[in-house]
Amino acid sequence: GSVSGVDYHFQVNYLGHFLLTSLLMPCLLRARSARVVNVSSVAYLLGYPLFDETASKNGSEKLSSLKLNQFYVPPDKPLKQLKAYGRSKLAILLSTRLMAEKMTRLGNTDKEGPKVQFYAVHPGGTRTAMILSSPLSRVLVRLLGRPTMLSPMMGAQTTLHCAFSEEVATQSGFYYE
């Protein structure tokens, strides 16, 4: 964990991107059209539950009042690190969907749909310097095998598709693999 008590995975993979998108939103809204492509991961499946279940046992709690599950992730606990990573990627999926819905509710649309489109993508297991330098990732690469990983060029294809393809131009809020 960090000095703030928020897990590093959550800070790096979610909070920083959310802050950047929030700061850019005035410019995005002024554009004729804009797309925000968030990089998530199929590891989001490991991130459940994202919120503290005890906060909403009676079901009457609003999403905004739920307590986010946060915990310190010791470097020698790879399974807890993987869960924290999954939570950060699940948060990306949820915020992508919520922002897309918010754009529609606010009526920020033209004849093709919301002016700002949101997408979440899983690029696949990609051989990057970052993934090969992480102790946890090195273990996964050994288990899954380096040949099964995508080149950086191939790993970027889903992101590029969501950023530029007319095929997904009106499909805001979805997750792509």
Side-chain angles (χ1 to χ4, degrees):
S2 68
V3 175
S4 66
V6 177
D7 176 66
Y8 286 121
H9 295 90
F10 196 72
Q11 287 182 18
V12 171
N13 293 332
Y14 175 73
L15 290 179
H17 296 80
F18 185 82
L19 176 60
L20 177 61
T21 302
S22 297
L23 293 172
L24 291 173
M25 193 56 70
C27 296
L28 296 172
L29 290 170
R30 283 194 303 271
R32 194 179 73 217
S33 68
R35 296 183 187 188
V36 175
V37 182
N38 295 308
V39 178
S40 187
S41 169
V42 72
Y44 79 87
L45 294 166
L46 303 171
Y48 291 96
L50 183 61
F51 294 98
D52 182 357
E53 294 171 347
T54 60
S56 62
K57 278 196 176 178
N58 64 10
S60 65
E61 296 287 331
K62 292 183 181 178
L63 184 63
S64 62
S65 65
L66 293 176
K67 182 182 174 197
L68 185 66
N69 268 329
Q70 297 173 1
F71 52 87
Y72 172 70
V73 184
D76 62 338
K77 302 284 185 188
L79 292 178
K80 284 191 175 187
Q81 286 185 356
L82 199 53
K83 180 116 177 132
Y85 177 79
R87 283 187 177 146
S88 70
K89 296 305 184 175
L90 178 58
I92 290 169
L93 290 184
L94 293 174
S95 69
T96 298
R97 186 66 179 190
L98 289 171
M99 290 302 292
E101 289 174 4
K102 183 176 182 178
M103 289 294 114
T104 301
R105 269 195 327 272
L106 292 176
N108 182 19
T109 60
D110 59 21
K111 62 184 178 229
E112 283 121 31
K115 285 174 53 175
V116 182
Q117 303 283 327
F118 291 84
Y119 306 88
V121 301
H122 168 59
T126 306
R127 283 186 314 270
T128 62
M130 184 177 78
I131 204 161
L132 297 175
S133 68
S134 160
L136 178 59
S137 297
R138 281 197 300 272
V139 169
L140 292 174
V141 168
R142 272 191 234 122
L143 289 173
L144 300 175
R146 195 176 179 133
T148 63
M149 297 187 76
L150 301 171
S151 70
M153 179 67 80
M154 291 304 295
Q157 295 308 300
T158 307
T159 303
L160 293 171
H161 178 73
C162 287
F164 299 109
S165 172
E166 287 304 313
E167 186 179 325
V168 299
T170 60
Q171 298 176 1
S172 187
F174 292 99
Y175 171 70
Y176 294 85
E177 292 183 340

